[in-house]
Each structure stands twice: as structure tokens, then as C-alpha cells.
Amino acid sequence: MTGVVREADLPVVAETLRRIVDLVLVEDESGIIEAMSPEAEADFAVPLGMAADMLEDGGYSDVELVPAACTVRYFAERHTNEFPGELTSPLRRLPR
């Protein structure tokens, strides 16, 4: 994980994660959450909510930010066929 943290563009990771949080949990004008299967919602929305809490608090380190972003991407990946392009595009920019 240390190598991933070193290679990551941390401001971009934070901004991308914030954009996903805003798109899914804050704005959600397109009803992304409601359109998800229960499995996708459990796999993706729960870690995203935890990342949102971390971002809102602002007291996170780089070592906390990158794993949170990786977790969101990991749990979203098997459900991306359910997500609109406006969500899959930023998800693909998160580190693995």
C-alpha cells in the first residue's frame, strides 16, 4: 500500500473521491442509489459513505485517503455495469 500512496496524486484522489460522494450521496439527481441492486448498494454505498464521513471530517492522512479510495473502487468494480457513465468514469480514476 505504501507504493500506491507514493504513486498517487493525492489532491486528485481526494477531489475524485469527493466528486463521487457528491454525485451519489449529495446530489443524486439521477437517482443512482435507487437504481442500484441491493447487492451493489451494500457493496458500494457503504464504503462510499464511510469515505464521505472521512472527507467531511478532514482529519485524514494520506495513508488513510488512498486505502479508502481503493476500497470504494474495489467494491464498485463488479457493479459498474449498473452505474451510469458519469459515475464509472471517476471510479476508474481512483487508485487500485
Side-chain angles (χ1 to χ4, degrees):
M1 183 57 65
T2 305
V4 175
V5 172
R6 267 186 263 152
E7 293 174 15
D9 184 343
L10 300 171
V12 171
V13 171
E15 181 56 36
T16 302
L17 196 53
R18 279 189 191 94
R19 180 65 196 129
I20 295 167
V21 166
D22 288 348
L23 181 66
V24 176
L25 300 178
V26 178
E27 298 167 8
D28 199 18
E29 295 167 359
S30 58
I32 294 171
I33 291 286
E34 290 81 20
M36 287 183 191
S37 67
E39 184 179 60
E41 188 174 342
D43 285 349
F44 172 64
V46 171
L48 184 62
M50 293 171 69
D53 290 344
M54 181 189 73
L55 289 169
E56 185 177 317
D57 177 48
Y60 57 87
S61 69
D62 298 344
V63 176
E64 294 167 320
L65 173 66
V66 173
C70 290
T71 300
V72 168
R73 179 175 179 159
Y74 176 81
F75 284 103
E77 281 186 329
R78 68 182 190 147
H79 303 288
T80 54
N81 62 329
E82 296 179 39
F83 301 161
E86 65 184 330
L87 176 56
T88 57
S89 179
L91 280 169
R92 289 186 185 123
R93 290 193 300 264
L94 293 176
R96 288 183 158 176

